[in-house]
Every structure is written in structure tokens, then in C-alpha cells.
Amino acid sequence: MKYNPQVIENKWQKVWEENKVFKVEKDNNKPKYYCLEMFPYPSGKIHMGHVRNYAIGDVISRYKFMKGFNVIHPMGWDAFGLPAENAAIKNKIHPAKWTYSNIENMKMQLKKMGLSYDWDREVATCDPEYYKWEQMIFLQMYEKGLVYRKKSLQNWCNDCHTVLANEQVEDGRCWRCGDIVEKKEINSWYFKITDYAEELLDWTYKLPGWPEKVLVMQRNWIGKSYGAEIDFKVEGEPTTITVFTTRPDTLFGATFMLLAPEHPLSKELLKGTDREKDGFEFIDGILKEDKISRMADDKEKKGFFTGKYTINPLTGYKMPIYIANYILMDYGTGAVMAVPAHDQRDFEFAKKYNLEIIIVIKPLDRELDPSKMTEAYTEPGIMINSGKFDGMNSEEAKTAITDYLLSQSIGKRSVNYRLKDWGISRQRYWGAPIPIIYCDDCGIVPVPYENLPVRLPLDVEFTGIGNPLDRSESFKSVECPKCGKPAVRETDTMDTFVESSWYFLRYCSPKNDKAPFDKDEVKYWMPVDQYIGGVEHAILHLLYSRFYTKVLRDLGYVDFDEPFERLLTQGMVCKETYRCGEHDWLFPEEVVDGKCKHCGKAVEIGRVEKMSKSKKNVVDPDNLINEYGADTARLFSLFASPPEKDLEWNEQGVEGSFRFLGRVWRLIHKNIALFSEELSDNGEESKVSKDILYYMHSAIKKVTLDIEKYQLNTAVAAIMEYSNNLSDIEPQIKTDKERYLFREALRSLIILLAPFTPHISEELWNVTGHVGLVSRYEWPTYDDRYTFRDDVTIAIQINGKVRGEIVIQRGSDEGFVLSLAKSDEKIKKYLEGKQLVKEIYVKEKLVSFVVK
Ligand code: ANZ
Ligand code: ZN
């Protein structure tokens, strides 16, 4: 009987599917466990990253089931998004058709992996039955004031004809097509996530099941800073400029004022002066650049003097007002009091434009000289040149100066967040329509609830220019629901991050046609106990899902605060790359004897990089599964590295996993007769019987504890070691008792493997005469009485090299162990005629001799 994965994998997948083995229902008598993997975008084909992500989730789900939990393990499709529309433009295939056929294909691939999904809960976000509820929640948020429309300067990609979020702008270019991003005034819809900034931040300290690095990223994204707002009078004008500063202690050193180009005063101060023309040009030039690069530390500081001055409220210093490229309008107040002595960017600006540098904080150990400084002094220190605050510690001065400003009514305490409201409008077809109508008389009119869903029309044309919905008359022209006059529909669709912010709730009652989800179902299943996905979603997707959950709570839908109890961010799947001087990246097939097949130049083995088409280092899971089977693919991706670390692909590792499964297969088959013998545990204990018990209980213990800690790679290693130990001891099995225990041990080997390699496990379970499925069997328990052995083998080293080993009783005293080691036959030879310089005993591990 040869191990033939193709045959058995098909067979068991059919059994699972036909019997709906992984279908799950709410059961108040059983503890629930919600295991969720981030759902994929239906691009058409799964990649190794998916294989790894879903294998991890599958082990956890299957294990939890065997531990007695009622496990919900759903899967679905994040089905809206740009690629479908791009395919429509290129290949003249409708995005819906493209998407649904991709889903079909990927679903088949996932089924071939043997994943324990309850497919009856499948959700595709592009189904009107799904987005209908999203539209409803949008309207409820609108009623609550959590959605608003505003005009703002946005990143605009001319090529994709869409607004881009800041995160979609990379080095000033579109993340998708690489085109230069421009600025455009655009009306869009926003979710008021800033209303939840404080709560979102607060809860990052109450999620112990999340990786600290993800929590830190979320905190930084929210970016809370404490400081003050201070008012400065503009000389000779009735205006004041309010700045936000985190450093009120430096106020005495503020020698000029900076405005963001977008600041309303920037143009106002210039108007009607002889600087107007140049100033406006300067402003428009800066506005073309993207914000992120404007803020970059190494970006050249650029400014334009407005010709106007403000007065420092504490020193009376006449501060020239500049418009500066590195000041952004959407942080703080868009105006900054510049303190060149203590802020590096202001320092560079002052040097460039010859502005005065006044030191107001000095280090404890040295003097600073403004004319000799090469960089700003940004540390705390002792206050100088600051009137009555001189001599004070600068940290204390922050409070003292703010208090003083308060008493003079020229400033107040202030908190600022970097987090901005979530712009959800996309000028795209393939997304959930925003359920709003514009009427000339009634203004913004929400689509009445009974008219939901607002369906995407099918009569659209994909030309690649602009938003197809804008050209669909049937979609666009409607009657105003309020007054009945002709009106137009909003043609923007929602950011696809909206769909992925609540799909985990929909899984709880995916077919519900009365509400987004059934409250009782959600109460039972939520929150998600374990969420698993890529770290690339560490900020936005997770933050948005957390926000959306809190909104749903405040709308009365759910009664918990956070959606994901625990989070595991898996590492990337990487592989070696190849390149030659002529051809940048090469497929492995293009490398022959270390030379490039095309130009004959020597091939350089490049870095190990994340698998990507462009680097030509991808491995197609289909090929892998066809060649070795799903169990090997799963085992390799679980064994090769800890889940949260990157995994480096290597063929030997795959081979090794396959060979291991073959060995287990043969070990069980060789001993298959044992399973029909009448055997009992009665009889004498023996060295062999004790060893078997020890192997079995320590393997169960190690695998159980490792899975609980998600150290799946070491859990697999423990199973491999266990299997090897059983093979080694097999020839020594003699008595009935030993045969009985050995059979128990083989049985637990199959069970321990079941969450990792479910197909081979079902097959072995079946051929050894078990009724029912091992997938639905209970997880074995261990007894700590057997996980310790009273004898241990310890190594003996001589001058650092292992030269032998001895078996000792635990708890033996040092002198006894050392003399036993010295009298060992092998060791004696190395000691004879030598001088023993040192002897060391590491308890129950090692004896080490140093000789001369
Ligand atoms: C005076 C000052 C003196 C500042 C000093 C810093 C150091 P965080 O900590 O990130 O919140 N700032 C305020 N609004 C800005 C804007 N719209 N664009 C660019 N920079 C802005 O940063 C707060 C500091 O960033 C503020 O404190 C302000 O400069 C600057 F020795 O005010 B500070
Ligand atoms: Zn109207």
C-alpha cells in the first residue's frame, strides 16, 4: 500500500462535503469558538500566502473542535474592487461575471486544500443581499451624524480616475498604476471615525490577545498628542492666527510664523499686496505635491514670506509670517509657531531664510551658541531667555506656560489626533452604491429604506475613463423621494474597506433577509476568538473593523466593544530570486547551470523576497498540491517556520514533509494487524512499556501546549519526533501489554496529526478500523505522571566535543555522575595519561571535562 495523496484527498473531501461535516449551528450547551481568516479578494487564483494563512486557521479550528468547542469557521469573498473593473476594461468582461467565475475557481482550490469551512455561511460582498445592509447601516449612520459630505483637496489619479487614500499614494505616485498623483477639489462622503479616536486608542491597551507591534502601529496611526493652542495677533490687521504646539515651553523662542499653503489666511494675507502674484504661484506649486512627501524629514524646506508679521504674545517679538511647504492643513490648526533653536525643521528653515535663532532651553552640561549650532536642540533642559520661567525645568515649564497663557486668555490646552475622518467615496463602478439622491429643491435626500438595495445597474460601459455609473442614465436619473421632481443619484460607491469592516458579523447569519445579522446569533458567536491574516492589514482594515463595531454598538446592534479577541499576523511566504546583468528577474527555469538561458551571463542569486509575480519567484499552490497533495502543502507551510515569521520556501522542505507522511503511512500499515487483536493493558511493566507511555504522553503534552501557543512549527516537529521514536521502538515490542500500549500510541499519532494533515489522518483512522471521522474525534489528554522519566541520557564532552553518553537516574548527585562518566569505557580512553583541568556537571544534561 503506497501513500497516494491524490486518491485519498479526493475521497475524504467528498465525505466531508457530502455529510456537511463542518456545518455548524448555534448551540447554547456548548462553548463556542470563532476562528476567522481574513477573506480573500477573488483575484482568480490562490497563492502561497493564502495557503499558509488558511492552513494556520484550519489547524486552530480543527483542534478547537476536537477540544469540544462548537467551532464556527467561515469563508467568503471580499468581492468588490478595482481589479474586476480593470479586467472589464481590458477584456470586455463584466466585473460581476469576472468576479463570480473567479470565486468559483478559488473555491474549488480551497476545497482541494481540505479546509474545514462551513460553506453554507459563504458570503460575497458584491451580492446585493450583502451590500443592501451596508447601505442601510450607512443611512443609520447618516441619521446619527456619523456620515457627512465635504469638499476637500484629494489625491487624484488621472489614470485610474479615482480619489486615492493617503495610504494609496506611494512616493507621490498611485499605488496601483504608478501615475503621478495630483490634487483635486472633490466632494466626498466621510465616516466620522475621529469621534471614536479616543476610544479606539484606549482599547489598544485592553487587547492582550493582539501582537504588541500591531497595537503600537494602531496607536501611532491614531497619533494622539497633548499640547496647547496659542493665539497670535497679526500686526496691523484684525486677525489672529491660532497655532497648535506640543512645546509651549519653547514659546519665548518663537521667531517666525508658518502657515500651511491651504490655510485660508495664506491667500488672504497676500491679497491686494505686491506679493500676491508670486505668492499664489508658490501656493499652487506646493499644492500639486502629495502630503506625505511634503512632510518627509529630508524634503527641502521651502517658504514664501507674506510681508506680514505676528507678535509673540510673551516677548513682543515681531515674527515674519511665511507660507511653508512642510506645514499641512489637516493637522492641528494648519499654523505653526516656529522655534528654530528647538525644532529641526524650523532650524533648517531659519538657516535657509536667515531668520533669528533664540535659545530658550539649555542642556545641563553645556552652553549653546546660536551662531555655532548645526542642528536644533530638541531635548528637555533648563529654561533660559524666558522671563519669569528662567531656571525652570522645561517639562515643568510646559504646564507653567500653558497655565499662564490660560490666565491671560491667549491660549488653552489642546489634544490633537493624527487620525483623520475616513473618506469612503470612490468614483468607481464595482462597489456598493452610496444610497443618496440629490434634488435641486430638497438637497441631499437619503434613499428610503424600503428602496434598498440600490443595485448596481448592468447597462454600463467600461471605457477606462471616469466612473461608468456617471454615464448610466437609468441609474442616475431618479425621482426625488421627497418631492417627486427629477433628481440624480450619487454615483460614488463605497470604499471596499467598508464591506470588510463587518463581514465577520454577517457570517453569523449569512442568509438573514430581515437585518444585517441576527442579534441572537451574533451574541452567541461574536466576538471572533481568533483572527488570522497578513500584517499588511495591521492598520487600516483592523482599525476600520474596530470602528465599525463600535458604531454598530452605538446603533444598538451589538453589545460588545471589540470584534477580535485575539489576532495572529502571519509572516510572508518568501523565496530566493534570480537575476543576471542583462535580465532583471529570472524564473528558476531560465537559469541553466548557474547561467542565464537568454544571455549566458552568470546568474546572481538574489535576496530571498516575498513571492511576487514581478520577481518571478512564485510557487503555484496548484502545482504543489497536484504533485505532493494538500497534506504535504499544509504540513510544509506549518512546519517551515513559526506562524508570525516569514517562511522561506525550499523544495527540500516540501520533499521532507512528503517523506515524513510516507513514513507515518508505512508505520501504521505495517502494524495494522494490531488494531484487530484482543489486547489488554494488564501485565508487567517493562522498560519498553514505560518508554511508550513516556513518548505518547510527552508528545500529546507538547503538541497540545504548542498549539495553544500557536507554535505550530514546533508542534509539527514534536509529532515528527514522536513518530520516529515509535518507529525506533517498534522492533522491541513483545508482550501483550507492550502491543496494547503501542497500538494506543499509534492511535494518538493519527489523532495528533489530524488538524495538520486531515486527509491522511482520516484514511489511517479508517483503515485501522475506526468508525466515524478522526476530524470529529476528541483530542487526547496527557497524564503528567508519564511525561517525566526517572532516567535521563546525558552527554559527555571532552574539550568541547561530545565523546559519549551515559544514562543516569534523575536526582543523582554530582559526585556520583562524574565518577560514572569517568568510568565509562569510551571516556576512559580520552582521559588516560592526561591531566584533568576542569570538570563540570550541568544537571541532568551534560558532563564536560577539560584535559591537557
Ligand atoms: C512649536 C514647536 C517647538 C514644536 C519645538 C515642536 C518643537 P506632534 O508631536 O507630531 O503632534 N505642527 C503642528 N501643526 C503642524 C502642521 N499642521 N504641519 C506640520 N507641523 C505641525 O507634532 C506637533 C508639533 O508639530 C507642533 O509643536 C508643531 O511644532 C508642529 F521645539 O510647535 B511645534
Ligand atoms: Zn426633492
Side-chain angles (χ1 to χ4, degrees):
M1 271 292 256
K2 230 186 115 213
Y3 171 46
N4 186 344
Q6 277 67 29
V7 176
I8 60 170
E9 292 188 354
N10 258 325
K11 170 176 153 190
W12 290 105
Q13 283 159 18
K14 249 175 119 184
V15 171
W16 295 328
E17 178 155 3
E18 280 166 7
N19 297 289
K20 290 205 184 265
V21 169
F22 306 116
K23 187 174 168 61
V24 60
E25 225 82 66
K26 170 168 157 260
D27 177 354
N28 286 318
N29 298 316
K30 251 177 132 187
K32 65 90 185 182
Y33 191 89
Y34 191 159
C35 182
L36 180 68
E37 296 119 48
M38 289 180 185
F39 65 166
Y41 176 76
S43 57
K45 253 176 151 295
I46 61 167
H47 53 65
M48 280 309 297
H50 294 125
V51 170
R52 187 178 191 202
N53 187 180
Y54 305 148
I56 294 168
D58 205 44
V59 172
I60 296 171
S61 298
R62 286 173 176 271
Y63 166 78
K64 287 290 177 181
F65 181 92
M66 296 173 84
K67 287 288 275 186
F69 288 89
N70 195 26
V71 176
I72 185 172
H73 189 208
M75 183 39 78
W77 313 96
D78 190 8
F80 274 137
L82 263 175
E85 219 165 318
N86 291 340
I89 296 162
K90 247 176 93 185
N91 310 322
K92 303 271 169 250
I93 171 172
H94 194 278
K97 199 166 165 212
W98 185 85
T99 304
Y100 284 107
S101 90
N102 284 349
I103 287 177
E104 263 330 291
N105 192 45
M106 288 175 76
K107 191 169 168 182
M108 207 174 64
Q109 288 186 300
L110 293 186
K111 287 192 170 169
K112 278 178 121 187
M113 277 186 66
L115 302 164
S116 60
Y117 295 129
D118 177 358
W119 283 107
D120 286 354
R121 293 180 183 267
E122 181 180 359
V123 160
T125 58
C126 62
D127 286 347
E129 296 73 41
Y130 184 85
Y131 65 70
K132 169 182 178 170
W133 303 113
E134 193 167 298
Q135 292 171 337
M136 191 184 98
I137 294 164
F138 177 97
L139 293 175
Q140 291 173 340
M141 287 172 71
Y142 181 68
E143 281 165 22
K144 260 209 133 188
L146 289 169
V147 180
Y148 64 94
R149 194 161 106 115
K150 113 182 149 184
K151 225 183 188 147
S152 64
L153 269 190
Q154 303 226 15
N155 304 310
W156 174 260
C157 171
N158 237 331
D159 202 39
C160 297
H161 290 267
T162 193
V163 169
L164 299 171
N166 281 343
E167 317 72 68
Q168 293 174 320
V169 180
E170 292 167 355
D171 293 333
R173 288 170 181 277
C174 172
W175 67 309
R176 175 156 291 288
C177 71
D179 209 27
I180 299 262
V181 173
E182 294 175 19
K183 283 283 134 74
K184 216 172 153 178
E185 273 264 312
I186 282 172
N187 241 326
S188 3
W189 288 95
Y190 288 86
F191 282 173
K192 249 188 174 170
I193 192 171
T194 51
D195 272 13
Y196 288 81
E198 190 57 40
E199 200 198 331
L200 287 166
L201 177 64
D202 198 38
W203 273 92
T204 64
Y205 296 95
K206 297 187 273 188
L207 292 170
W210 284 43
E212 188 57 26
K213 70 165 186 221
V214 173
L215 294 172
V216 169
M217 284 158 90
Q218 298 235 325
R219 281 172 210 145
N220 290 341
W221 191 261
I222 298 166
K224 182 178 185 177
S225 358
Y226 297 88
E229 278 181 21
I230 306 173
D231 298 329
F232 288 74
K233 288 212 165 67
V234 178
E235 194 190 48
E237 310 234 355
T239 346
T240 50
I241 298 176
T242 304
V243 305
F244 169 70
T245 177
T246 47
R247 298 291 307 273
D249 51 324
T250 63
L251 180 50
F252 284 82
T255 52
F256 49 100
M257 173 66 70
L258 298 172
L259 297 177
E262 301 92 333
H263 197 292
L265 275 182
S266 290
K267 286 195 170 172
E268 208 177 299
L269 291 178
L270 291 166
K271 242 178 226 148
T273 71
D274 57 354
R275 311 184 68 84
E276 176 170 342
K277 190 172 161 285
D278 291 349
F280 278 36
E281 253 168 44
F282 174 83
I283 291 174
D284 294 341
I286 303 292
L287 292 186
K288 287 214 176 78
E289 298 175 30
D290 87 282
K291 293 178 192 167
I292 296 181
S293 82
R294 266 170 58 188
M295 287 281 278
D297 284 340
D298 54 0
K299 177 93 183 175
E300 198 202 328
K301 310 288 171 283
K302 277 190 259 177
F304 187 87
F305 178 46
T306 57
K308 301 276 163 73
Y309 294 86
T310 53
I311 307 301
N312 185 318
L314 297 191
T315 61
Y317 191 96
K318 222 174 122 177
M319 299 159 59
I321 307 173
Y322 280 78
I323 300 162
N325 63 339
Y326 64 99
I327 309 300
L328 298 183
M329 194 55 217
D330 53 13
Y331 189 65
T333 61
V336 172
M337 64 175 212
V339 185
H342 304 293
D343 180 274
Q344 185 57 27
R345 290 191 291 195
D346 299 345
F347 180 83
E348 288 163 31
F349 194 92
K351 284 279 173 201
K352 180 164 174 184
Y353 295 104
N354 245 322
L355 298 159
E356 192 175 356
I357 298 175
I358 298 176
I359 292 164
V360 291
I361 294 169
K362 90 180 191 60
L364 293 172
D365 56 345
R366 61 197 157 98
E367 298 298 322
L368 293 175
D369 176 350
S371 61
K372 296 206 181 83
M373 278 167 94
T374 54
E375 57 177 20
Y377 177 73
T378 57
E379 301 294 309
I382 301 297
M383 303 290 292
I384 56 169
N385 300 329
S386 296
K388 63 174 178 169
F389 302 98
D390 278 358
M392 209 181 247
N393 166 319
S394 64
E395 289 300 314
E396 284 163 16
K398 279 185 183 168
T399 319
I401 292 183
T402 310
D403 285 345
Y404 178 72
L405 294 172
L406 260 173
S407 73
Q408 302 296 304
S409 304
I410 39 179
K412 58 173 197 220
R413 277 175 220 294
S414 163
V415 167
N416 242 279
Y417 299 91
R418 292 217 165 261
L419 184 67
K420 294 285 148 273
D421 277 339
W422 174 12
I424 57 140
S425 285
R426 296 293 178 272
Q427 291 67 38
R428 279 279 159 184
Y429 167 77
W430 195 232
I434 292 176
I436 290 287
I437 289 166
Y438 302 103
C439 167
D440 280 344
D441 290 348
C442 314
I444 296 176
V445 184
V447 172
Y449 286 101
E450 61 273 19
N451 296 352
L452 297 182
V454 177
R455 280 172 198 274
L456 281 173
L458 294 174
D459 61 329
V460 284
E461 233 196 314
F462 300 96
T463 55
I465 321 271
N467 179 356
L469 287 178
D470 266 338
R471 297 187 301 265
S472 167
E473 272 312 307
S474 68
F475 179 77
K476 228 178 139 173
S477 335
V478 282
E479 262 178 21
C480 168
K482 260 199 189 152
C483 70
K485 288 203 191 119
V488 288
R489 225 183 251 295
E490 170 63 84
T491 55
D492 284 357
T493 52
M494 289 191 235
D495 181 1
T496 59
F497 273 119
V498 183
E499 284 92 65
S500 53
S501 292
W502 70 285
Y503 72 110
F504 43 89
L505 291 160
R506 183 71 183 165
Y507 281 147
C508 298
S509 54
K511 306 267 153 49
N512 196 325
D513 58 2
K514 303 273 169 335
F517 43 81
D518 182 298
K519 280 188 190 173
D520 283 342
E521 294 285 338
V522 163
K523 206 178 170 82
Y524 176 75
W525 292 115
M526 286 293 292
V528 169
D529 294 274
Q530 181 64 54
Y531 197 23
I532 308 157
V535 75
E536 67 275 16
H537 293 298
I539 298 180
L540 292 182
H541 162 57
L542 293 171
L543 194 67
Y544 292 155
S545 300
R546 297 180 56 217
F547 159 67
Y548 212 79
T549 301
K550 292 175 196 298
V551 168
L552 289 172
R553 178 199 61 199
D554 294 346
L555 290 172
Y557 281 102
V558 303
D559 59 3
F560 48 87
D561 303 293
E562 288 283 335
F564 312 125
E565 201 69 25
R566 296 183 57 149
L567 173 72
L568 192 158
T569 49
Q570 101 261 4
M572 298 182 299
V573 182
C574 304
K575 190 171 178 287
E576 223 170 54
T577 52
Y578 307 103
R579 55 209 309 185
C580 78
E582 202 83 17
H583 302 92
D584 207 18
W585 304 99
L586 296 166
F587 286 112
E589 311 77 87
E590 294 173 302
V591 182
V592 180
D593 296 331
K595 299 214 169 69
C596 172
K597 197 170 109 179
H598 311 290
C599 63
K601 287 208 177 108
V603 167
E604 170 200 337
I605 299 193
R607 277 190 309 161
V608 174
E609 306 223 33
K610 178 182 175 175
M611 284 189 178
S612 80
K613 281 197 195 112
S614 63
K615 309 233 164 84
K616 300 189 175 176
N617 64 343
V618 284
V619 171
D620 185 346
D622 262 354
N623 296 342
L624 178 68
I625 292 173
N626 288 338
E627 202 174 334
Y628 294 98
D631 281 340
T632 294
R634 295 168 57 121
L635 193 66
F636 169 74
S637 50
L638 295 164
F639 175 56
S641 75
E644 66 285 356
K645 293 268 156 56
D646 285 353
L647 179 159
E648 189 186 337
W649 179 265
N650 75 71
E651 203 67 38
Q652 293 83 2
V654 178
E655 279 285 339
S657 300
F658 180 72
R659 278 201 307 272
F660 165 70
L661 292 177
R663 283 200 300 277
V664 173
W665 179 266
R666 288 189 298 278
L667 177 66
I668 302 285
H669 277 89
K670 200 168 151 204
N671 291 283
I672 217 154
L674 274 184
F675 288 86
S676 42
E677 280 181 34
E678 270 309 315
L679 295 170
S680 93
D681 194 15
N682 299 329
E684 281 288 296
E685 269 187 8
S686 62
K687 164 105 176 50
V688 171
S689 78
K690 280 208 265 183
D691 278 351
I692 297 173
L693 279 172
Y694 168 74
Y695 293 145
M696 180 164 82
H697 287 272
S698 15
I700 296 171
K701 180 175 185 175
K702 171 97 176 122
V703 176
T704 306
L705 298 183
D706 281 0
I707 297 181
E708 293 284 352
K709 286 181 279 183
Y710 302 154
Q711 293 169 1
L712 305 183
N713 59 322
T714 52
V716 173
I719 300 176
M720 290 179 169
E721 188 189 328
Y722 179 42
S723 160
N724 290 343
N725 286 335
L726 294 183
S727 294
D728 289 349
I729 209 166
E730 186 206 350
Q732 302 168 46
I733 308 283
K734 292 198 183 66
T735 67
D736 256 19
K737 185 186 175 81
E738 289 165 2
R739 295 163 70 77
Y740 173 86
L741 290 175
F742 190 64
R743 182 172 73 187
E744 282 310 298
L746 293 177
R747 201 197 308 276
S748 30
L749 174 62
I750 301 173
I751 304 173
L752 292 181
L753 267 175
F756 299 89
T757 54
H759 310 87
I760 190 176
S761 306
E762 291 291 9
E763 181 68 15
L764 294 174
W765 192 246
N766 185 255
V767 297
T768 48
H770 295 93
V771 244
L773 299 170
V774 71
S775 308
R776 306 286 89 173
Y777 200 71
E778 69 195 64
W779 191 252
T781 52
Y782 58 88
D783 186 334
D784 257 333
R785 269 181 305 170
Y786 302 117
T787 57
F788 290 98
R789 281 213 278 203
D790 44 13
D791 50 8
V792 274
T793 305
I794 62 172
I796 305 168
Q797 289 185 348
I798 292 170
N799 291 350
K801 281 216 174 73
V802 176
R803 298 296 189 186
E805 49 182 43
I806 50 170
V807 178
I808 59 157
Q809 293 284 306
R810 280 184 195 277
S812 302
D813 73 55
E814 180 166 344
F816 172 77
V817 176
L818 288 174
S819 66
L820 195 69
K822 280 179 217 160
S823 60
D824 183 86
E825 282 306 317
K826 277 202 205 135
I827 300 304
K828 261 194 202 155
K829 282 190 295 188
Y830 291 100
L831 298 180
E832 255 160 25
K834 299 264 168 62
Q835 187 197 342
L836 189 58
V837 196
K838 209 176 188 180
E839 44 184 34
I840 300 165
Y841 173 50
V842 182
K843 195 170 173 233
E844 286 157 20
K845 291 225 165 59
L846 180 85
V847 168
S848 172
F849 295 123
V850 179
V851 295
K852 263 208 306 215

